[in-house]
Amino acid sequence: MREIWLSGPPSHLYFSTEAGDSIAPSLGRMALALALSVVAGVVLGIALGRSERVLAYLQPLMQFARVIPPPTLVPVFIVLFKIGTEMQVASIVFSAIWPVLLNTADGARSVDPMQMATAEAFRFSAVDRIRYVIVPSAMPKIFAGLRLALSLSLILMIFSELLPGTSDGLGFELSNAQSQSDLPTVWSVIVLLGILGYLFNTILLAVERRVLSWHRGARKADS
């Protein structure tokens, strides 16, 4: 791993050229797909969670779409998107969005009716109700979905780089090493993915503890 990823000059923090060609594109695709999944999942989840009738109609369809394996949709992605980054990001978003959307909808649906009644009594606008009541109440569920989406994004990042038209990334590096029976590189990529997964999860847990503790403190102060 040191020879492959950390054999560069000190001016580049010891990252080698190969690390920049493999790690940076993969993390860029993953970050973009995760951001899109979170934004779309939270917005749609809040909208669905506050509408019992719409959620009841769409729940079977969402559960059906959630369990479709991404590899089976590769022909669809090829038709709908350009081969390359667009298709790779779409394949990650398709699976990573569901944990965020469903958990957000569940959190928005379980808001205390007394809080909503109080907000209406104080004539909160729709935006203020979402900002000060719904989102804080749904935040634990949102973070639960985000943790699942993060792990899925890391896994699907590798899968997306095995699709046609990929010329860089950790998935491409792994596939290329396997085809050449280069076992040291294969294990280097596998260990690196484990390190990245642990690091991302640790950062997310730290953010979650800070955000949720702030919300708990604010709710105690309000009560």
Side-chain angles (χ1 to χ4, degrees), residues 21 81 187-188:
D21 295 339
F81 304 98
W187 282 108
S188 295

Side-chain angles (χ1 to χ4, degrees), residues 41-52 55 59 62 97-111 134 138 141-142:
V42 170
V43 172
L44 294 176
I46 291 175
L48 292 176
R50 299 310 302 169
S51 177
E52 293 286 345
L55 183 61
Q59 185 80 2
M62 292 189 296
I97 190 175
W98 299 115
V100 180
L101 193 156
L102 294 174
N103 277 276
T104 302
D106 187 39
R109 184 177 53 183
S110 60
V111 176
I134 297 175
K141 291 283 188 178
I142 293 175

Side-chain angles (χ1 to χ4, degrees), residues 81-100:
F81 304 98
K82 295 180 180 179
I83 293 178
T85 300
E86 289 184 12
M87 184 174 66
Q88 293 162 347
V89 171
S91 65
I92 300 174
V93 171
F94 178 81
S95 292
I97 190 175
W98 299 115
V100 180

Side-chain angles (χ1 to χ4, degrees), residues 5-222:
W5 314 116
L6 299 172
S7 59
S11 59
H12 291 78
L13 299 178
Y14 298 100
F15 285 108
S16 63
T17 302
E18 190 171 357
D21 295 339
S22 299
I23 300 176
S26 293
L27 295 185
R29 297 183 188 108
M30 177 183 168
L32 176 58
L34 186 60
L36 293 174
S37 300
V38 171
V39 172
V42 170
V43 172
L44 294 176
I46 291 175
L48 292 176
R50 299 310 302 169
S51 177
E52 293 286 345
R53 179 173 297 180
V54 175
L55 183 61
Y57 280 123
L58 295 182
Q59 185 80 2
L61 180 61
M62 292 189 296
Q63 293 294 342
F64 172 79
R66 181 178 66 88
V67 299
I68 297 177
T72 62
L73 294 176
V74 170
V76 179
F77 293 145
I78 292 177
V79 172
L80 295 178
F81 304 98
K82 295 180 180 179
I83 293 178
T85 300
E86 289 184 12
M87 184 174 66
Q88 293 162 347
V89 171
S91 65
I92 300 174
V93 171
F94 178 81
S95 292
I97 190 175
W98 299 115
V100 180
L101 193 156
L102 294 174
N103 277 276
T104 302
D106 187 39
R109 184 177 53 183
S110 60
V111 176
D112 187 355
M114 183 64 69
Q115 293 183 347
M116 295 300 297
T118 303
E120 291 178 4
F122 280 95
R123 296 182 180 180
F124 277 25
S125 65
V127 175
D128 287 338
R129 285 198 295 269
I130 293 174
R131 180 180 178 183
Y132 294 111
V133 180
I134 297 175
V135 171
S137 298
M139 194 64 72
K141 291 283 188 178
I142 293 175
F143 270 105
L146 184 55
R147 286 197 301 271
L148 294 174
L150 178 62
S151 60
L152 280 174
S153 297
L154 186 62
I155 296 171
L156 293 169
M157 175 191 75
I158 299 300
F159 159 73
S160 69
E161 293 171 350
L162 303 178
L163 298 178
T166 304
S167 58
D168 55 17
L170 292 173
F172 175 80
E173 190 74 28
L174 181 62
S175 177
N176 188 49
Q178 287 177 336
S179 65
Q180 298 178 9
S181 299
D182 185 1
L183 294 182
T185 300
V186 170
W187 282 108
S188 295
V189 174
I190 292 173
V191 173
L192 177 62
L193 291 173
I195 294 173
L196 290 175
Y198 177 81
L199 178 62
F200 293 153
N201 186 68
T202 301
I203 294 174
L204 180 60
L205 288 176
V207 173
E208 179 182 2
R209 283 194 296 268
R210 186 174 184 84
V211 171
L212 294 185
S213 64
W214 182 84
H215 278 295
R216 293 191 191 101
R219 293 177 67 179
K220 289 180 180 179
D222 292 338

